[in-house]
Short mmCIF file of all heavy atoms in Angstrom, two decimals:
data_model
loop_
_atom_site.label_atom_id
_atom_site.label_comp_id
_atom_site.label_asym_id
_atom_site.label_seq_id
_atom_site.Cartn_x
_atom_site.Cartn_y
_atom_site.Cartn_z
N VAL A 245 146.41 82.68 127.57
CA VAL A 245 145.61 82.96 128.78
C VAL A 245 146.17 84.19 129.48
O VAL A 245 145.44 85.10 129.89
CB VAL A 245 145.64 81.74 129.72
CG1 VAL A 245 144.89 82.05 131.01
CG2 VAL A 245 145.04 80.53 129.04
N ALA A 246 147.51 84.23 129.62
CA ALA A 246 148.14 85.34 130.33
C ALA A 246 147.86 86.67 129.65
O ALA A 246 147.70 87.69 130.30
CB ALA A 246 149.65 85.10 130.41
N LYS A 247 147.76 86.62 128.34
CA LYS A 247 147.55 87.86 127.59
C LYS A 247 146.09 88.31 127.62
O LYS A 247 145.81 89.50 127.69
CB LYS A 247 147.97 87.59 126.13
CG LYS A 247 147.90 88.77 125.21
CD LYS A 247 148.40 88.34 123.84
CE LYS A 247 148.01 89.31 122.76
NZ LYS A 247 148.64 90.60 122.88
N MET A 248 145.19 87.34 127.59
CA MET A 248 143.80 87.68 127.32
C MET A 248 142.84 87.62 128.51
O MET A 248 141.89 88.39 128.59
CB MET A 248 143.24 86.70 126.27
CG MET A 248 143.93 86.72 124.95
SD MET A 248 143.45 88.12 123.95
CE MET A 248 141.76 87.69 123.52
N ALA A 249 143.04 86.65 129.40
CA ALA A 249 141.95 86.27 130.30
C ALA A 249 141.81 87.18 131.51
O ALA A 249 142.80 87.69 132.04
CB ALA A 249 142.16 84.83 130.77
N ASP A 250 140.57 87.38 131.92
CA ASP A 250 140.33 87.99 133.23
C ASP A 250 140.32 86.88 134.28
O ASP A 250 140.83 87.04 135.37
CB ASP A 250 138.95 88.68 133.25
CG ASP A 250 138.92 89.83 132.27
OD1 ASP A 250 139.78 90.71 132.38
OD2 ASP A 250 138.07 89.81 131.35
N ARG A 251 139.70 85.76 133.92
CA ARG A 251 139.69 84.60 134.82
C ARG A 251 140.02 83.35 134.03
O ARG A 251 139.84 83.31 132.81
CB ARG A 251 138.32 84.44 135.48
CG ARG A 251 138.10 85.40 136.63
CD ARG A 251 136.85 85.09 137.41
NE ARG A 251 135.68 85.08 136.57
CZ ARG A 251 134.69 84.19 136.68
NH1 ARG A 251 134.75 83.25 137.60
NH2 ARG A 251 133.64 84.25 135.88
N VAL A 252 140.46 82.35 134.76
CA VAL A 252 140.93 81.11 134.14
C VAL A 252 140.27 79.92 134.82
O VAL A 252 140.16 79.88 136.05
CB VAL A 252 142.46 80.95 134.34
CG1 VAL A 252 142.98 79.79 133.52
CG2 VAL A 252 143.19 82.22 134.05
N ALA A 253 139.85 78.94 134.02
CA ALA A 253 139.41 77.68 134.60
C ALA A 253 140.23 76.57 133.95
O ALA A 253 140.45 76.59 132.74
CB ALA A 253 137.93 77.45 134.34
N VAL A 254 140.70 75.65 134.77
CA VAL A 254 141.46 74.52 134.24
C VAL A 254 140.54 73.31 134.24
O VAL A 254 139.92 72.99 135.26
CB VAL A 254 142.69 74.22 135.12
CG1 VAL A 254 143.47 73.04 134.57
CG2 VAL A 254 143.57 75.45 135.20
N MET A 255 140.45 72.68 133.08
CA MET A 255 139.56 71.53 132.97
C MET A 255 140.39 70.26 132.87
O MET A 255 141.42 70.23 132.19
CB MET A 255 138.71 71.69 131.72
CG MET A 255 137.33 71.17 131.92
SD MET A 255 136.22 71.60 130.61
CE MET A 255 135.00 70.33 130.92
N TYR A 256 139.93 69.24 133.56
CA TYR A 256 140.63 67.96 133.49
C TYR A 256 139.61 66.83 133.56
O TYR A 256 138.79 66.79 134.48
CB TYR A 256 141.66 67.83 134.64
CG TYR A 256 142.47 66.56 134.51
CD1 TYR A 256 143.51 66.49 133.59
CD2 TYR A 256 142.16 65.43 135.24
CE1 TYR A 256 144.22 65.34 133.41
CE2 TYR A 256 142.88 64.26 135.07
CZ TYR A 256 143.90 64.22 134.16
OH TYR A 256 144.61 63.07 133.98
N ALA A 257 139.65 65.97 132.58
CA ALA A 257 138.79 64.78 132.55
C ALA A 257 137.32 65.11 132.82
O ALA A 257 136.65 64.47 133.63
CB ALA A 257 139.29 63.75 133.56
N GLY A 258 136.84 66.14 132.14
CA GLY A 258 135.41 66.45 132.20
C GLY A 258 135.00 67.36 133.34
O GLY A 258 133.83 67.72 133.44
N GLU A 259 135.96 67.72 134.20
CA GLU A 259 135.62 68.56 135.35
C GLU A 259 136.50 69.81 135.37
O GLU A 259 137.62 69.78 134.88
CB GLU A 259 135.92 67.84 136.67
CG GLU A 259 135.03 66.70 137.01
CD GLU A 259 135.41 66.10 138.35
OE1 GLU A 259 136.58 66.17 138.76
OE2 GLU A 259 134.52 65.55 138.99
#
Side-chain angles (χ1 to χ4, degrees):
V245 177
K247 183 178 164 67
M248 299 283 289
D250 296 304
R251 281 189 304 140
V252 189
V254 180
M255 216 170 159
Y256 185 77
E259 289 182 332

